[in-house]
Amino acid sequence: MLVSHTKKFIFIHNYKVAGTSIREVLGKYRLSPVQRLQQKLGWKNRNHQKTSDNHQTASQIQERLPEKVFDSYYKFGFVRDPWDWQASLYKYALKNKNHKQHELISKMVSFEEYLLWRVQEDFRLQKAFFYDDKGNCLVDFVGKYERLSEDFGGICEAIGIKEILPHRNQSQQKKSYLDLYDERTLKLVNEYYAEDIHTFDYEFPTLAK
């Protein structure tokens, strides 16, 4: 998560949705004017949020913050096409030797084996980042990775800042993730992540013939 008390917003950091870039752009608003000056002078800031806090859900954040703060601050995050999301998680774990699941996933013989492990042993919906156990949405806005720049611009307008995220080539990413799939693995994601697909209005992708 990233909380700004100066601009009164809370960023909920879902996995693999350009969250690191968003944190880099918005991180300066986490600091007070005094802390920003200390940072420029090279002073260490003891109040920086720890890496382990990065991927907390809205429900977890709600438990940690005062009710008045959580309810009044502008809360937002991003989701990603579930098929693309799983492909990105898979590729990231494979290439990053420091990833906690790298050793396990690197021993799998196929993307299908990874998907079966994911849904059977380490299943998690993106919806869980933004909704509570009763199905109530706890945030003000859920943007989409597929329209990252546009949705991020709307967020900046809502919190009263002007920022731009680094450009990403979305068409290349779509082609890349579909190369991992066949009809069987597409349907596997469709079955297990149906709640995310429905909640965030995604459509079943079509493989090139």
Side-chain angles (χ1 to χ4, degrees):
M1 70 171 176
L2 192 157
V3 179
S4 169
H5 296 296
T6 57
K7 292 297 181 179
K8 297 186 178 181
F9 69 76
I10 301 171
F11 169 54
I12 290 89
H13 187 171
N14 179 18
Y15 298 101
K16 304 309 296 175
V17 291
T20 300
S21 295
I22 294 171
R23 290 176 64 87
E24 288 176 355
V25 171
L26 298 183
K28 61 187 175 184
Y29 298 105
R30 177 183 57 194
L31 307 177
S32 68
V34 172
Q35 289 171 327
R36 285 199 293 272
L37 177 60
Q38 290 173 341
Q39 188 180 64
K40 288 182 179 179
L41 295 173
W43 295 9
K44 292 183 179 180
N45 180 7
R46 300 176 183 272
N47 295 322
H48 279 193
Q49 292 154 326
K50 298 179 181 179
T51 302
S52 59
D53 290 341
N54 284 357
H55 296 291
Q56 290 192 4
T57 67
S59 292
Q60 291 170 328
I61 297 168
Q62 185 180 40
E63 292 177 357
R64 291 186 57 180
L65 292 177
E67 182 178 353
K68 184 177 181 180
V69 170
F70 186 84
D71 289 347
S72 63
Y73 281 23
Y74 186 80
K75 300 169 288 295
F76 64 92
F78 283 81
V79 292
R80 187 169 183 166
D81 176 307
W83 292 272
D84 187 14
W85 191 54
Q86 285 305 316
S88 182
L89 288 169
Y90 172 69
K91 289 187 288 186
Y92 181 69
L94 276 182
K95 74 177 183 180
N96 186 350
K97 294 183 179 180
N98 294 321
H99 192 283
K100 64 181 180 179
Q101 295 172 335
H102 171 76
E103 184 175 356
L104 173 66
I105 294 175
S106 63
K107 293 177 181 178
M108 297 178 182
V109 299
S110 66
F111 180 58
E112 182 175 6
E113 182 181 351
Y114 157 79
L115 277 180
L116 288 170
W117 165 79
R118 179 67 74 186
V119 299
Q120 293 171 2
E121 304 293 336
D122 192 36
F123 180 72
R124 188 177 198 179
L125 291 169
Q126 295 181 77
K127 182 179 178 180
F129 276 97
F130 308 107
Y131 287 72
D132 64 19
D133 292 339
K134 297 179 180 179
N136 301 307
C137 185
L138 300 178
V139 302
D140 299 288
F141 180 73
V142 179
K144 286 190 173 183
Y145 181 79
E146 295 75 26
R147 55 180 189 232
L148 180 62
S149 295
E150 177 185 349
D151 285 352
F152 184 73
I155 290 165
C156 288
E157 184 176 349
I159 61 180
I161 64 174
K162 292 183 179 180
E163 298 289 349
I164 299 175
L165 286 176
H167 177 72
R168 282 173 170 73
N169 189 330
Q170 301 298 336
S171 60
Q172 275 300 111
Q173 290 171 347
K174 184 171 184 179
K175 179 181 178 181
S176 175
Y177 92 77
L178 284 176
D179 286 345
L180 285 172
Y181 282 92
D182 56 24
E183 290 296 339
R184 182 166 51 189
T185 48
L186 285 177
K187 290 178 181 177
L188 184 65
V189 172
N190 188 62
E191 176 184 353
Y192 281 90
Y193 294 92
E195 195 169 350
D196 274 350
I197 294 165
H198 173 73
T199 300
F200 303 114
D201 195 27
Y202 283 103
E203 295 182 356
F204 193 95
T206 302
L207 295 175
K209 296 182 179 179

